[in-house]
Amino acid sequence: HRFAIGYHRKSRSKNTNVLKLTEIEGVGESRAKKLLSYFKTVSAIEKAGEEEIVKAGVPQNVAEKIVEYFSLS
């Protein structure tokens, strides 16, 4: 039972991170998951520069929007 609770909390946390990233124009669920698998955390994405985000496989124009989104919040 305790393992099930831990798993459920972890999966719910991942879904919350994906939802936060999908607020950015040009970032859908699959791109958000791709970013999280590359950077591991939303705070790492927030600290990343445009060039690093492009290395993760995101187009240049979307990388600009991601950096802009986190600089405004």
Side-chain angles (χ1 to χ4, degrees):
H1 183 258
R2 94 180 154 177
F3 297 113
I5 290 171
Y7 173 79
H8 180 70
R9 287 180 181 159
K10 186 176 179 182
S11 68
R12 193 174 54 204
S13 173
K14 283 184 181 181
N15 287 337
T16 304
N17 291 336
V18 169
L19 288 175
K20 182 176 181 178
L21 291 172
T22 56
E23 294 175 358
I24 304 168
E25 184 182 342
V27 179
E29 189 174 329
S30 63
R31 190 167 283 159
K33 286 181 180 180
K34 188 177 188 180
L35 282 166
L36 282 172
S37 70
Y38 186 87
F39 288 103
K40 305 295 182 213
T41 63
V42 174
S43 62
I45 298 169
E46 189 173 346
K47 294 174 187 172
E50 211 171 290
E51 298 81 26
E52 287 182 89
I53 296 172
V54 170
K55 285 181 186 176
V58 176
Q60 182 71 35
N61 62 338
V62 177
E64 291 171 5
K65 290 177 184 177
I66 293 170
V67 170
E68 181 182 327
Y69 175 83
F70 285 117
S71 67
L72 296 175
S73 49

